[in-house]
Amino acid sequence: MKSGKNISLKFDSKNHPDIKKYNIGIVVSEWNKDITKNLLSGAIDTLTQHGVQKENIFIQWVPGSFELIFGSKVLSEKEFDVIIAIGCVIKGETDHYDYICSSVSQGIMQLNLTSSMPIIFCILTDHNKQQSIDRSGGKYGNKGVECAFAALQMLSIK
Ligand code: DLZ
């Protein structure tokens, strides 16, 4: 498997005895659900395998990636330690892709500046469906797994 950079190497759960206490919010987009559900299960499996309690993971579905911004904002006003925003934007025939990608990346970036918890960007921005399949449990791994590791690493900064 061609894996690229593996951010999981930087996280060692032995150094995080408090991991059982962490509350994690996940906002996930219904659009391209065949892809986002694989990203979601990759994230949940990784979090629980490293000691996060399943009952401490809250999942909020939203219609599309554009709504990840508001969904993340709402969760950022609650008692979570970290939020993961999961989506998949696939390029179509129009400029819609560019507007959604730009809005959601700017929106999540701004929330990271204003809220007291990190919001992890787990949003595929692909040119076609095959690229998304390859990155959601296919030949390039699962971005949901990587983003779960990013979330765990960011907890240690908090
Ligand atoms: C409308 C739309 C389109 C064309 N493509 C995608 C996509 O590839 N991925 C995605 O997550 N959402 C898409 N959407 C839906 C928008 O994100 C949003 O839900 C609607 O524009 C309603 O605000």
Side-chain angles (χ1 to χ4, degrees), residues 53-113:
Q53 302 295 287
K54 205 158 190 179
E55 60 271 23
N56 292 346
I57 301 175
F58 175 79
I59 298 162
Q60 177 66 62
W61 286 89
V62 294
S65 289
F66 189 78
E67 285 72 36
L68 290 171
I69 305 164
F70 186 77
S72 299
K73 184 173 92 125
V74 170
L75 293 199
S76 75
E77 288 157 0
K78 300 187 175 171
E79 296 289 310
F80 292 106
D81 296 293
V82 63
I83 293 167
I84 303 174
I86 295 179
C88 170
V89 194
I90 301 177
K91 197 165 176 54
E93 290 179 4
T94 69
D95 294 339
H96 199 269
Y97 168 88
D98 301 301
Y99 287 104
I100 299 287
C101 292
S102 167
S103 304
V104 72
S105 55
Q106 289 293 315
I108 301 286
M109 184 272 284
Q110 279 179 26
L111 283 173
N112 271 285
L113 294 174

